[in-house]
Amino acid sequence: AAKVKMLKAIQENIYAEENQLARYLIQTPGFYLTSIPGCGVVTAAGIMGESGQLTNWRNIDQLASYAGIVPRQKQTGGSSKSAVQFGLPKKSNKKLKFHLFQLSFNTCRFKHPVGIYCPHLAEHRLYSHFHRISEREGKSGLGTAKLFLKIARQMILRQRIYLPSQWLNSSYSVSSEENRIYFSAVINSLKEKWKAYNFTGISNDKNFLNMEVNAYESLIRFINSK
């Protein structure tokens, strides 16, 4: 009985810390990382906590090097010779590296939830990138982690959810119905990921989830008014 009480106390403390972590994250643009399939609240918070503001880094290569996801290289025999790659650097932010690898191997397991309604959007950019590298027996975990940093930086800078790669092509025309279905799937996914946490006392103008829900509802009203 004493051990059960101790276990419950530990679980309550873990939840309390995780809930506080979620309260911090939902008030920052780091919230948008959870719109990526396979990226949960703890993983997103871990990446933001260890990297700080992604927009403050001069370039992604520098951040990737700090995270230790860039193999060491040594040039021998002059510039005409190809560089020899060694293992990953030992001096790096190991916590950030852990969270990035966790994200890479999670996001490759989950297609986008909108795929149920729009099959052509199911295989999102990170999912496709991981499997494409894996098929040629490359370092899929490293490649996906580095691509994630590039995508995440833009998401945070522009404060927007994870968008389909097709939409980023200027020649691709997004219909209002596809737009509605996609945002509906993302909002439902976000609500599911965040439903376990308590955000009492956080005003709506500081809660990025509420802001996205309100934006979606405005979109629906606009579409219905046509």
Side-chain angles (χ1 to χ4, degrees):
K3 289 181 179 179
V4 170
K5 288 181 181 178
M6 182 180 293
L7 176 61
K8 287 183 177 180
I10 291 172
Q11 290 174 333
E12 289 172 0
N13 285 331
I14 290 173
Y15 171 76
E17 289 204 20
E18 188 176 320
N19 190 75
Q20 190 60 38
L21 175 148
R23 288 175 64 87
Y24 285 130
L25 183 64
I26 206 166
Q27 298 180 75
T28 74
F31 153 82
Y32 289 101
L33 300 185
T34 60
S35 66
I36 298 175
C39 183
V41 174
V42 174
T43 299
I47 291 170
M48 293 301 299
E50 295 301 326
S51 62
Q53 285 291 343
L54 295 178
T55 53
N56 290 341
W57 290 87
R58 284 183 294 177
N59 56 65
I60 293 302
D61 290 336
Q62 185 185 46
L63 178 55
S65 178
Y66 170 72
I69 60 173
V70 179
R72 293 174 298 161
Q73 294 186 349
K74 184 176 181 180
Q75 188 75 39
T76 59
S79 58
S80 61
K81 299 288 185 178
S82 59
V84 178
Q85 288 194 352
F86 297 89
L88 297 176
K90 294 182 179 179
K91 292 184 179 181
S92 63
N93 187 319
K94 292 181 174 59
K95 290 182 180 179
L96 179 56
K97 183 194 297 184
F98 168 80
H99 288 300
L100 288 174
F101 274 123
Q102 188 176 47
L103 181 135
S104 292
F105 292 109
N106 278 345
T107 197
C108 77
R109 295 168 51 216
F110 298 98
K111 293 184 178 182
H112 201 285
V114 77
I116 298 174
Y117 311 102
C118 303
H120 64 288
L121 298 178
E123 296 190 2
H124 55 93
R125 189 177 177 187
L126 290 169
Y127 179 95
S128 299
H129 188 75
F130 183 98
H131 290 284
R132 188 162 54 248
I133 297 176
S134 183
E135 286 173 2
R136 64 171 187 259
E137 299 182 353
K139 299 183 183 297
S140 49
L142 292 176
T144 305
K146 192 169 182 181
L147 176 60
F148 161 78
L149 290 177
K150 293 180 181 178
I151 294 174
R153 191 174 188 275
Q154 290 301 312
M155 288 172 62
I156 291 171
L157 182 65
R158 300 181 183 184
Q159 295 189 12
R160 72 181 187 193
I161 62 172
Y162 184 51
L163 296 177
S165 56
Q166 297 95 317
W167 289 18
L168 303 179
N169 187 337
S170 58
S171 62
Y172 185 85
S173 178
V174 183
S175 68
S176 59
E177 181 62 12
E178 182 175 287
N179 192 310
R180 183 194 66 78
I181 292 173
Y182 184 84
F183 275 87
S184 175
V186 172
I187 292 298
N188 289 335
S189 174
L190 287 171
K191 286 180 177 179
E192 185 66 24
K193 288 181 181 181
W194 289 89
K195 70 178 183 180
Y197 305 108
N198 183 348
F199 302 116
T200 302
I202 299 177
S203 58
N204 287 337
D205 61 335
K206 292 183 179 179
N207 185 319
F208 276 84
L209 175 59
N210 282 347
M211 287 191 280
E212 284 302 310
V213 171
N214 291 337
Y216 169 71
E217 291 175 350
S218 297
L219 172 66
I220 296 302
R221 286 195 296 268
F222 172 75
I223 292 174
N224 291 338
S225 66
K226 289 185 176 181

